[in-house]
Amino acid sequence: MAARFFDEMLEGREDGTVTAVEAGQVLPPGAVRSHYRSFADWLGRQSAATMDNKRAEADLIFRRVGITFAVYGDKDESNSGTERTIPFDVIPRVFPASEWATLERGLRQRVAALNRFIHDIYHGQDIIRAGVIPPDQIYNNAQYRPEMLGIDVPRDIYAHVAGIDVVRAGQGEFYVLEDNLRVPSGVSYMLENRKMMMRLFPDLFARNRVAPVAHYPDLLLDMLRSVSPQNIADPTVVVLTPGMYNSAYFEHAFLAQQMGVELVEGSDLFVEDDHLYMRTTQGPQRIDVIYRRVDDDFLDPLVFRPDSTLGAAGLLSVYRAGNVTISNAIGTGVADDKSIYPYVPDMIRFYLGEEAILSNVPTYMCRRPDDLQYVLDHMADLVVKETHGAGGYGMLVGPAATKAEIDQFREVVKARPEQYIAQPTLALSTCPTYVESGIAPRHIDLRPFVLSGKEVRMVPGGLTRVALREGSLVVNSSQGGGTKDTWVLER
């Protein structure tokens, strides 16, 4: 019997497979989910040659614009670390308005609790004293920053920009896979994907009421200005980048340009009299808000890594004095560590007195002896992740791994169990995707972006990532995944 996956567009048959679809093929109405019917009707009128040409056009435009990402860990080592365009799929992922509304409520709830948690661990530590989270899970966490103890930040907000990875499994239930609260990336691809779809297929947007996302940079700038220190009337906002060799540099430059603010590097900054300044052709200009795309360890060489040239010496003293806002706040990473992830439903109960709207994936914590033994015994059936890992690195997808890979990873976990968690291999939902062989189902996830400032705001949609290799569950762009436009229908 074929594996049963929830398909975003097509209804399943009794054997668990989904109806095939090809360009130029009209499907019976019962085969297509209601919110996809308009698109499926349009797709049925497109020839394979048309779709091939549109896909080639998209790739050419992305290359000309410079929308690239560094791909590491490629099996072809001659290509590892090279800049590539992220493959763009011309078939969108579509949400009905009612489904998105539920998802948005769950995301707002989750980010609210996470912000409460981060404030608490650097202030009253009520959740630790209540025994909800073991103290060593906080204090021994590599992302915990004792330098932040007692520092007040504007509006008590730490995760101003949150990218929450959501998957769908089972009969279509949503699960949060992980929380990205340090320097979440990908929003530029969300915006460029929409621009590309509107350029390639303007007729689609004339016949479908798709909620807009183009105003995200305006929302981001409004949010950053709303968390400026001391209620400055006209705050100066900058984007801090590690530089042009960073894999996400395109996004840093793109967002600075879209917001109409300066893109700066560490060499542009200096501290004087507990204020932060940037060098300009008109002389020094004070900075009030930094949207930083640089990790904590590199922000201030006087406090963190002394060899860093990516930040500004003395930045933390400006921060402590309340004269600059850093977005996201220093120390926020403790809340997106995978060892903290299992406790998020408890945070929601503790801080908000509510049950989580969005479920976690069941998680085994290898620091617990019983969990460790189960993971070691069932590694071939699990996804095992390094707690500090990101981008699809430091993980094992058991069902897709060889016996030798599993045996090797088992020894690594046994040596450092506290640094690993494990989860069941979810049957991630699929979405029809235009690949070399035609239209075929591929596994996907979703990263919506939640902005927390004076108010919590989101654009309707997010970055849908797709695992382009047949059967693969790894959607990360850094490992060869692609992206889709994400539609939320307004009716």
Side-chain angles (χ1 to χ4, degrees), residues 139-441:
Y139 302 137
N140 295 336
N141 192 295
Q143 297 300 320
Y144 180 69
R145 300 287 182 254
E147 297 86 357
M148 286 294 293
L149 284 168
I151 295 181
D152 294 322
V153 299
R155 302 185 188 277
D156 293 338
I157 297 170
Y158 291 75
H160 307 92
V161 182
I164 310 297
D165 289 348
V166 179
V167 296
R168 196 185 331 229
Q171 299 301 308
E173 300 88 356
F174 287 110
Y175 295 89
V176 173
L177 194 61
E178 61 182 53
D179 306 293
N180 298 280
L181 306 179
R182 280 176 276 181
V183 283
S185 63
V187 74
S188 61
Y189 305 106
M190 174 190 79
L191 297 171
E192 289 293 339
N193 287 351
R194 176 59 55 83
K195 287 168 61 177
M196 182 61 69
M197 284 294 286
M198 295 182 76
R199 174 173 181 157
L200 296 177
F201 307 113
D203 54 319
L204 273 175
F205 292 88
R207 56 187 289 152
N208 293 278
R209 292 188 57 182
V210 181
V213 297
H215 58 299
Y216 176 88
D218 296 332
L219 296 183
L220 177 61
L221 182 59
D222 286 347
M223 180 277 294
L224 293 170
R225 291 170 62 89
S226 77
V227 294
S228 63
Q230 303 170 0
N231 296 315
I232 296 171
D234 189 21
T236 297
V237 177
V238 300
V239 176
L240 174 62
T241 177
M244 64 181 298
Y245 296 108
N246 183 268
S247 62
Y249 180 74
F250 165 78
E251 176 157 300
H252 308 164
F254 174 87
L255 289 175
Q257 187 272 331
Q258 292 291 305
M259 290 191 290
V261 304
E262 293 293 330
L263 179 69
V264 300
E265 298 183 28
S267 58
D268 300 319
L269 308 178
F270 68 94
V271 171
E272 188 174 287
D273 297 329
D274 274 345
H275 288 88
L276 180 67
Y277 296 88
M278 63 177 164
R279 299 175 178 89
T280 74
T281 55
Q282 285 78 41
Q285 181 174 353
R286 178 175 160 178
I287 296 173
D288 303 302
V289 182
I290 300 176
Y291 179 32
R292 54 88 171 230
R293 302 302 294 264
V294 174
D295 288 338
D296 286 357
D297 288 341
F298 300 94
L299 287 175
D300 187 343
L302 299 182
V303 179
F304 303 117
R305 285 187 54 156
D307 60 340
S308 174
T309 60
L310 302 181
L315 176 58
L316 192 63
S317 67
V318 180
Y319 199 35
R320 286 192 179 114
N323 292 328
V324 70
T325 296
I326 299 176
S327 172
N328 286 346
I330 294 172
T332 298
V334 69
D336 75 6
D337 187 277
K338 293 178 180 65
S339 68
I340 298 298
Y341 161 90
Y343 297 101
V344 177
D346 297 322
M347 295 177 198
I348 293 172
R349 295 186 198 97
F350 186 79
Y351 295 115
L352 307 180
E354 302 168 357
E355 290 300 313
I357 297 171
L358 300 176
S359 298
N360 271 18
V361 178
T363 302
Y364 300 96
M365 291 185 274
C366 295
R367 64 189 295 274
R368 297 173 174 170
D370 289 348
D371 284 9
L372 173 62
Q373 191 58 56
Y374 182 87
V375 171
L376 296 176
D377 292 343
H378 298 85
M379 195 166 281
D381 303 318
L382 300 171
V383 177
V384 188
K385 302 178 182 179
E386 191 175 17
T387 56
H388 307 318
Y393 300 105
M395 66 183 288
L396 175 85
V397 181
T402 65
K403 183 179 185 302
E405 290 170 334
I406 292 170
D407 290 343
Q408 181 180 12
F409 210 86
R410 184 181 285 113
E411 295 305 312
V412 172
V413 173
K414 285 167 66 175
R416 298 177 298 163
E418 73 284 353
Q419 295 187 23
Y420 289 88
I421 64 167
Q423 297 168 331
T425 307
L426 293 182
L428 300 188
S429 67
T430 59
C431 187
T433 302
Y434 204 81
V435 296
E436 292 298 330
S437 58
I439 298 176

